[in-house]
Amino acid sequence: MTAIKSMTSLSTKERDKEVRRVVASSYFGSMLEYYDFLLYGTAAALVFGPVFFSNLSPTAATIASLGTFAAGYLARPFGGIVFGHFGDRLGRKSMLMISMSMMGGASVLIGLVPSAEMIGSWGAVLLILLRLIQGIAIGGEWGGAVLMSLEHADPKKRGFLTSFTNAGAPSGSLLGTLVMGAVAWLPEEDFMSWGWRIPFLLSAILVALGLFIRSRVSESPIFVAALEKDKDAPKREMPLLQILKKPRVLVIVTFSCVGLFALKATFSTFGITFAVNGGTERSDTLFAFAVAQFIAIFAVLAFARISDRFGRRPVMAAGLAIYIAMSFPIFALLGSGTRALVTLAFVMAFLCHAAVYGPMAAYVSEQFPTSSRYTGSSVAFQTGSIVAGLSPMAAAALYAVSGNSTTTSFFMMGICAISLVALWRASETRDNDLTR
């Protein structure tokens, strides 16, 4: 086993410095991983339909393209199980290095996949395979990054410090949108033939930087202490079996996450397409989306800080309830064809999302004991993400059938209502003891 550096010998000042380094590493690493993962969503909404499914009608091509986007979400629970198992047995840090390498490699290769004109349907096949690798990688990334911050943090600041990992998602989405938006200024023919590939190829540089940063942080002190405590104890059960023996927690936490994922995925993909079809220029839509992502970074941190004081459940429930009340106006603004109103729609949607997403990292991870925390939090969170992968495709299909956003709004409201009920049945986790 790789040697593990403990924090027990550090002074208070050194320990605080190490916590800041770990939190920064989790944030930056998460940002890079989500840059790659969510960049695919933007490309699926704007590019992959005509490039890889040119033999289909525009609507069918969009649905097929979003179907490849869903493949990554379907693979996330598998990544959570595999990375969670070894993360609970061998350590959090090493799994994060592997997940980042997988994600970066897959993203670079996506930028190199030939179009349907060159290799026919094999382009779509390769796209799906690489998307599955991305899904496995992100399935292992989230749990490890959250636990590194959670298990280093002061108990009174757990929500806030772990939320930096979640803030990495809108940061990565913002970065990807800005890069894709920049190349979208190219002439249409150049953008569709080679310009869209540039953001994916840039992943090679970003991942190399991320690996360097992650290599310099220490292993989780709570994990180290648990490892020392159990070294002379009888062999433990597999982490997955431990969490399956208490299925109620796993089921409730999973359903608590589905509304969050549906909001993120639908507005990051179908929402962009819907706004463009409503008359907003593609570059203006990406700019509006980028503004919302920038605001969401700080909103995620703010809502997580509030949850340290008032609890995770009340803050998350408020975000879901407000979205349910505002779903119809948000879609009306999104289809207005006006950049300012489209920007407002994205901001409203992602503020609701941030209220759920900010406390979510701590809420999920605080539910499980140290010996199965990586596996439990990853499986619950990533299983909930399956809904996210399917929701843009369902939203696009409902819109295609009805010709308006009413059915899509009802669909989104229903998913958020499911999470609201799950939160009502859940226990508050803010004061849970993580050393158990």
Side-chain angles (χ1 to χ4, degrees):
M1 181 183 295
T2 304
I4 296 174
K5 177 184 175 183
S6 174
M7 291 180 67
T8 54
S9 60
L10 300 179
S11 66
T12 301
K13 184 176 180 180
E14 291 173 327
R15 190 176 298 114
D16 289 343
K17 182 178 180 181
E18 180 64 12
V19 169
R20 289 193 296 271
R21 182 184 294 123
V22 168
V23 170
S25 168
S26 292
Y27 166 76
F28 190 73
S30 177
M31 180 184 72
L32 297 184
E33 292 261 6
Y34 278 96
Y35 165 84
D36 289 327
F37 193 74
L38 296 176
L39 178 66
Y40 189 104
T42 305
L46 298 177
V47 177
F48 290 163
V51 172
F52 295 104
F53 302 97
S54 55
N55 60 321
L56 302 177
S57 68
T59 299
T62 298
I63 293 173
S65 177
L66 294 176
T68 69
F69 177 76
Y73 283 92
L74 294 173
R76 286 172 70 159
F78 178 73
I81 292 171
V82 174
F83 280 92
H85 174 84
F86 290 105
D88 282 325
R89 291 295 176 84
L90 304 179
R92 320 316 197 187
K93 178 179 173 179
S94 57
M95 295 302 104
L96 290 174
M97 301 291 284
I98 294 172
S99 70
M100 181 173 282
S101 300
M102 287 177 60
M103 178 64 80
S107 293
V108 171
L109 290 175
I110 286 172
L112 298 174
V113 173
S115 67
E117 292 181 356
M118 298 178 65
I119 59 173
S121 60
W122 282 107
V125 172
L126 290 173
L127 204 62
I128 292 171
L129 289 175
L130 292 170
R131 183 60 175 171
L132 289 172
I133 294 174
Q134 281 194 324
I136 293 170
I138 203 74
E141 160 68 24
W142 183 85
V146 166
L147 295 195
M148 284 292 281
S149 295
L150 183 85
E151 294 176 345
H152 278 83
D154 181 321
K156 294 182 180 180
K157 299 179 181 179
R158 288 197 309 234
F160 178 62
L161 293 179
T162 56
S163 71
F164 277 86
T165 299
N166 280 358
S171 300
S173 183
L174 170 63
L175 180 62
T177 303
L178 290 175
V179 176
M180 187 65 80
V183 297
W185 285 96
L186 290 168
E188 182 74 13
E189 184 177 349
D190 291 340
F191 174 72
M192 299 301 290
S193 63
W194 57 267
W196 67 267
R197 299 177 184 274
I198 294 174
F200 288 96
L201 299 178
L202 288 176
S203 297
I205 300 172
L206 297 175
V207 169
L209 180 59
L211 289 173
F212 172 75
I213 293 173
R214 279 199 165 155
S215 68
R216 298 170 61 84
V217 301
S218 63
E219 181 57 273
S220 156
I222 290 179
F223 173 78
V224 172
L227 202 66
E228 288 295 318
K229 181 180 178 181
D230 294 344
K231 66 179 180 180
D232 297 323
K235 189 175 181 180
R236 292 176 295 166
E237 284 185 307
M238 289 179 58
L240 183 60
L241 294 179
Q242 292 181 45
I243 64 170
L244 290 178
K245 284 188 173 181
K246 297 182 178 179
R248 182 181 182 277
V249 173
L250 185 63
V251 170
I252 287 178
V253 175
T254 297
F255 280 104
S256 297
C257 297
V258 296
L260 154 83
F261 281 118
L263 285 173
K264 179 64 177 180
T266 300
F267 283 97
S268 297
T269 53
F270 172 75
I272 293 173
T273 303
F274 182 74
V276 172
N277 290 342
T280 308
E281 292 293 330
R282 181 176 61 205
S283 57
D284 286 344
T285 300
L286 291 175
F287 174 80
F289 183 81
V291 169
Q293 294 304 294
F294 178 75
I295 294 172
I297 296 169
F298 302 98
V300 164
L301 300 175
F303 284 120
R305 191 71 186 94
I306 293 171
S307 79
D308 280 328
R309 181 172 182 181
F310 297 104
R312 319 296 184 213
R313 293 166 64 236
V315 179
M316 295 162 62
L320 291 166
I322 293 172
Y323 174 77
I324 291 172
M326 297 299 295
S327 182
F328 287 113
I330 287 173
F331 273 100
L333 294 171
L334 202 60
S336 66
T338 303
R339 184 172 70 174
L341 296 180
V342 169
T343 302
L344 179 60
F346 278 127
V347 169
M348 291 167 63
F350 282 104
L351 282 177
C352 293
H353 174 268
V356 188
Y357 199 42
M360 181 64 76
Y363 165 80
V364 172
S365 304
E366 288 166 345
Q367 304 273 357
F368 302 97
T370 303
S371 61
S372 60
R373 186 170 293 132
Y374 200 145
T375 302
S377 58
S378 295
V379 170
F381 194 72
Q382 305 305 342
T383 301
S385 76
I386 292 175
V387 174
L390 299 176
S391 58
M393 190 166 51
L398 288 170
Y399 178 72
V401 170
S402 66
N404 59 65
S405 62
T406 301
T407 52
T408 302
S409 293
F410 276 123
F411 170 71
M412 294 296 296
M413 291 164 67
I415 294 178
C416 289
I418 291 172
S419 286
L420 204 54
V421 172
L423 281 172
W424 175 63
R425 300 289 296 172
S427 301
E428 181 55 59
T429 62
R430 178 184 57 174
D431 298 320
N432 283 5
D433 179 10
L434 296 186
T435 61
R436 60 194 171 95

